[in-house]
Amino acid sequence: MKRRMIVCDLDGTLLNSSGLVSERTRVAVRRVQEAGHVFVVATARPVRDTRHVAVALGGTPVAVCGNGSITFDFELDEVVDYHPLAEEHVAEALKVLRDRFPGARLGAECRLELLLEDSFGLPEALSRSARRVPRLEEALDRRNVGKLMVQLEGNARHYYESVRHLLTGCEVTISADVFCEVMRAGVTKAAALEAMADRLGFDAGDVIAFGDMPNDLPMLTWAGTAVAVANAHPAVLTSADEVTASNDDDGVAAWLERLPALP
């Protein structure tokens, strides 16, 4: 058995429906790390909402956050990589979205800061640190946008394709039901992980990836072994090499428990 780089999404994959790391999962992750493998978190979450998970898991100082727009080292407390949208693409996206969806509610991740319009609906646990503004354009530094967040009426699973077809020069995806996400073209979890793997001496064939939503598809396609949890989006279930149990049944832990230790 060769040394592996194991990359894992958080919400809907590693975390249970309460957003927690189960004890079984914690033990399984520690075991593969102690066996000599590398475990990396790859999430749509911003840095601030990833930190406590990295701490709970232990031994996972560097995480890919914001769907690949920002990579952060929690041990050094510093940004490793940051890939913001081009200023002109931010301006164009905002204009197109306002014209096509007059009732759109917008937000933005700007490096480590979250900006949300007053009307943007997000659970308190995810938005308590946000700076609320009446209109995003009036408060935004367009040179520093890692991710735009677009919220329309209804479930984002039903409207993100419309947003994706509307915007050019950007990556549009979905990781949750409450909004879709707009990043710089070419910015994905896969791109960020490929850069990390190269720094650590791994190639794609050495990578085992776990995911559940369409924003995980580039990562799953790139990885040598792609594993979907049973509760995954249909597109993810179709593309994966293997399917494990659901996030609430510790599917990632169940799969990792079968991974042999290095000789």
Side-chain angles (χ1 to χ4, degrees):
M1 179 68 184
K2 66 188 299 189
R3 187 168 178 254
R4 300 285 190 170
M5 177 172 158
I6 301 159
V7 299
C8 192
D9 172 57
L10 292 183
D11 295 283
T13 304
L14 188 75
L15 306 182
N16 61 27
S17 294
S18 298
L20 301 175
V21 179
S22 74
E23 183 59 25
R24 182 182 179 185
T25 295
R26 196 188 327 271
V27 169
V29 170
R30 292 285 178 87
R31 175 187 166 275
V32 296
Q33 291 172 325
E34 290 168 359
H37 304 291
V38 173
F39 188 89
V40 178
V41 165
T43 179
R45 287 185 176 211
V47 170
R48 66 185 168 277
D49 293 331
T50 305
R51 186 184 299 273
H52 71 279
V53 180
V55 170
L57 290 171
T60 56
V62 181
V64 169
C65 302
N67 273 329
S69 62
I70 186 167
T71 301
F72 195 83
D73 188 318
F74 292 104
E75 188 170 76
L76 299 178
D77 200 33
E78 65 182 27
V79 175
V80 177
D81 286 316
Y82 186 54
H83 304 284
L85 282 151
E87 186 176 358
E88 62 269 24
H89 289 150
V90 174
E92 180 183 1
L94 290 171
K95 182 180 185 308
V96 169
L97 289 166
R98 294 295 190 195
D99 289 346
R100 177 64 180 83
F101 306 111
R105 303 177 292 275
L106 303 177
E109 291 285 354
C110 301
R111 203 173 180 92
L112 301 180
E113 182 185 30
L114 173 63
L115 288 177
L116 292 178
E117 292 185 338
D118 292 331
S119 58
F120 198 105
L122 203 61
E124 173 63 20
L126 300 178
S127 61
R128 64 171 60 97
S129 64
R131 178 155 65 97
R132 290 281 184 172
V133 297
R135 186 175 172 88
L136 192 65
E137 290 89 331
E138 297 168 1
L140 197 64
D141 177 354
R142 296 180 182 177
R143 299 163 297 178
N144 197 35
V145 179
K147 182 171 72 174
L148 281 173
M149 302 153 67
V150 183
Q151 188 175 72
L152 307 179
E153 291 302 320
N155 191 309
R157 294 182 188 230
H158 302 147
Y159 60 72
Y160 92 93
E161 289 283 4
S162 298
V163 175
R164 186 169 69 85
H165 290 304
L166 190 66
L167 300 180
T168 58
C170 304
E171 295 283 345
V172 180
T173 191
I174 177 178
S175 60
D177 293 338
V178 292
F179 58 84
C180 61
E181 300 157 64
V182 182
M183 284 84 59
R184 182 175 177 168
V187 170
T188 63
K189 290 183 182 182
L193 288 164
E194 186 172 11
M196 185 183 297
D198 187 59
R199 289 194 294 267
L200 295 174
F202 294 101
D203 59 35
D206 301 322
V207 178
I208 302 165
F210 296 84
D212 75 310
M213 286 290 278
N215 66 312
D216 295 319
L217 287 170
M219 172 180 79
L220 295 169
T221 301
W222 166 74
T225 303
V227 185
V229 284
N231 54 288
H233 187 283
V236 174
L237 292 170
T238 300
S239 69
D241 299 311
E242 300 181 36
V243 177
T244 187
S246 74
N247 64 319
D248 284 328
D249 291 322
D250 294 318
V252 173
W255 201 98
L256 292 178
E257 286 164 358
R258 309 193 325 258
L259 191 67
L262 296 176

